[in-house]
Amino acid sequence: MTDEIGWHTRQLQAALRARGAVGRCVDLADCNIDTTAAWHGLVIPGYGRELPDAVLVRGIAGGSFEQVTKRLGVLHALRELGVPVYNDARAIERTVDKSMTSLLLHAARIPAPATWATESAAQARRIAMREMAAGHALVLKPLFGSQGKNLQLVGEVDGVHHPMPDIDARYAGLAYLQRFVPPMASPGFDWRVMVVGGRAVTAMRRVSTHWIHNVAQGARCEPAVLEPALAQLAEGASQALDMDYAGVDLIAAASGPKIQVLEVNGVAAWQGLQRVTGFNIARAIVDDLLDRKLAQARRLAQQSLPLPERRA
């Protein structure tokens, strides 16, 4: 399932062909619910009255609340119909909603920056004032956002004061705030660790002179050794959110836990990471989808088949 056909889909299709499978690109926006069309009530372009053997979610187009709800509903329905979905709608919802990500990481005792989410502008200002008094700055993020877009510092950083913006005008009336983790070197960096099937498989450093380290914002990718501490935290974060595969962003911190999880990406891009690693990420994803997820679904389907009727 993808809203764009490009490098990632070509990589996945090649990995599927190598396993004797065919990958079709379908946009969730083009999938419909029609209870008259087939027993399952779904219309998936290219499949007629049938369903795919498995679904790999590569991208979901943005849209209205109603449109996105329908698209996720199709993924929910596929899972309930026994089609393995990689990552399924529940996992994607946990990572798209950054506040839920933070809550689940906290519940699993995964170290992450202190986080707040509030619909009250007054409460957001009080949090910022309290944090500033304690010597901390904050990062204000859109609840639903990616690629480092629309992130804003709040508080004093390097002698410059950054005021709290109007959350109603720019952040849909909700303040999602994380304690700012200052860079420990110049230029600063964080890590992106790829987790597939619960196992950390490869990593890179994202290096930038700017405090935002996303590749889409100009950071450069460097190879990184997948140290045990990085692997353990990334795997723990993926498990806490019940992910099939995930891109986990981590950062070194001068205070508190030495390494902290910043974000978990449920529809992770890996083109930059692939450039600096010899590990074939698309192949690992496809192998895990077929050998674990699809095989498990087929075993469960066989176990649930009705027993042959006994004759007297």
Side-chain angles (χ1 to χ4, degrees), residues 37-53:
W39 66 270
H40 45 73
L42 293 175
V43 178
I44 310 295
Y47 286 89
R49 295 174 62 86
E50 304 300 319
L51 291 173
D53 295 305

Side-chain angles (χ1 to χ4, degrees), residues 48-154:
R49 295 174 62 86
E50 304 300 319
L51 291 173
D53 295 305
V55 168
L56 197 158
V57 182
R58 174 57 238 149
I60 302 175
S64 67
F65 180 78
E66 290 82 0
Q67 288 172 322
V68 173
T69 297
K70 189 274 292 182
R71 293 165 195 172
L72 290 171
V74 170
L75 295 181
H76 278 296
L78 286 164
R79 177 183 179 275
E80 295 303 315
L81 290 164
V83 178
V85 181
Y86 191 105
N87 285 306
D88 70 23
R90 299 171 308 163
I92 291 170
E93 287 166 349
R94 293 184 188 111
T95 55
V96 169
D97 177 355
K98 290 184 175 66
S99 64
M100 181 54 66
T101 300
S102 297
L103 200 62
L104 291 172
L105 292 176
H106 177 73
R109 302 296 184 262
I110 303 295
T115 303
W116 300 263
T118 178
E119 297 180 43
S120 166
Q123 177 67 11
R125 287 192 293 271
R126 285 194 291 270
I127 292 167
M129 291 175 63
R130 186 179 69 229
E131 286 291 294
M132 283 187 281
H136 304 299
L138 298 169
V139 180
L140 177 63
K141 301 181 179 182
L143 189 69
F144 308 131
S146 62
Q147 299 183 330
K149 296 176 182 177
N150 298 317
L151 274 59
Q152 183 158 334
L153 290 171
V154 177

Side-chain angles (χ1 to χ4, degrees), residues 13-22 283-284 286-291:
Q13 286 176 321
L16 285 163
R17 286 195 299 270
R19 290 293 306 269
V22 177
R283 186 180 305 162
V286 166
D287 286 347
D288 186 53
L289 169 64
L290 300 181
D291 296 337

Side-chain angles (χ1 to χ4, degrees), residues 144-213:
F144 308 131
S146 62
Q147 299 183 330
K149 296 176 182 177
N150 298 317
L151 274 59
Q152 183 158 334
L153 290 171
V154 177
E156 187 169 317
V157 177
D158 296 331
V160 178
H161 178 72
H162 303 269
M164 173 74 73
D166 182 352
I167 64 170
D168 289 326
R170 294 189 56 189
Y171 292 89
L174 188 137
Y176 172 79
L177 296 157
Q178 274 194 328
R179 187 173 288 166
F180 176 60
V181 180
M184 296 189 59
S186 183
F189 71 92
D190 64 11
W191 293 278
R192 162 63 63 88
V193 177
M194 200 74 183
V195 180
V196 178
R199 184 174 66 91
V201 294
T202 189
M204 70 173 173
R205 295 199 329 164
R206 305 185 302 182
V207 182
S208 177
T209 55
H210 195 272
W211 64 273
I212 300 174
H213 300 136

Side-chain angles (χ1 to χ4, degrees), residues 213-270:
H213 300 136
N214 295 75
V215 175
Q217 300 299 319
R220 71 174 185 270
C221 305
E222 293 183 352
V225 176
L226 187 53
E227 300 286 355
L230 285 177
Q232 183 178 357
L233 272 181
E235 290 169 1
S238 178
Q239 181 180 5
L241 276 69
D242 197 16
M243 313 295 291
D244 290 312
Y245 80 108
V248 183
D249 300 336
L250 308 99
I251 193 166
S255 59
K258 291 184 178 180
I259 303 175
Q260 300 180 23
V261 175
L262 288 175
E263 289 191 7
V264 182
N265 301 275
V267 187
W270 66 86

